Amino acid sequence: VVQLVESGGGLVQPGGSLRLSCVASGLTFSSAPMSWVRQAPGKELEWVSSISTGGKNLYYADSVKGRFTISRDNAKNTLYLQLNLLKTEDTAMYYCATSWRSTESEYRGQGTQVTVSS
């Protein structure tokens, strides 16, 4: 059974930082391109960032480019997303997913909530 378990979300003030983690099991993580996607209240699912299997190729949505950094540790079966310079519009449920530059995925975690508010 494939499981993706996110953690690290929380309440943060504008301009603050968070680091999200996603631990994967039940799949060959090192062979899986991975992504972060998010969904704000009342809005559709939005692709945020993707990383290739080896971690060399990184892609970001324009809305987060320069502020968010995706990374992975294949030895630990873990995907990360460093969120810096957070804005109120970054408030959303963040999910890790087995996808490539898309919201379409075979597997997605249960999500971790990020709330940016003063």
Side-chain angles (χ1 to χ4, degrees):
V1 177
V2 174
Q3 283 192 312
L4 302 172
V5 181
E6 302 96 334
S7 62
L11 173 63
V12 63
Q13 292 186 341
S17 298
L18 285 172
R19 190 193 195 201
L20 308 184
S21 299
C22 170
V23 178
S25 60
L27 77 164
T28 306
F29 181 74
S30 59
S31 299
M34 296 293 295
S35 295
W36 286 96
V37 298
R38 67 185 181 184
Q39 188 164 28
K43 295 189 176 181
E44 294 185 351
L45 199 61
E46 175 190 18
W47 171 77
V48 174
S49 181
S50 293
I51 186 168
S52 59
T53 55
K56 290 185 178 181
N57 297 310
L58 313 177
Y59 294 90
Y60 299 95
D62 288 343
S63 58
V64 307
K65 199 172 295 182
R67 301 187 298 119
F68 291 7
T69 303
I70 191 171
S71 62
R72 66 192 295 162
D73 186 336
N74 286 341
K76 295 182 178 180
N77 284 3
T78 303
L79 177 73
Y80 302 100
L81 187 68
Q82 178 68 40
L83 290 67
N84 295 331
L85 300 175
L86 282 161
K87 304 176 181 180
T88 55
E89 52 262 43
D90 294 318
T91 294
M93 186 71 79
Y94 285 71
Y95 303 90
C96 67
T98 56
S99 70
W100 181 245
R101 303 178 72 179
S102 169
T103 57
E104 299 294 324
S105 63
E106 184 173 7
Y107 302 104
R108 195 168 75 206
Q110 86 291 344
T112 186
Q113 178 68 39
V114 172
T115 302
V116 184
S117 174
S118 55

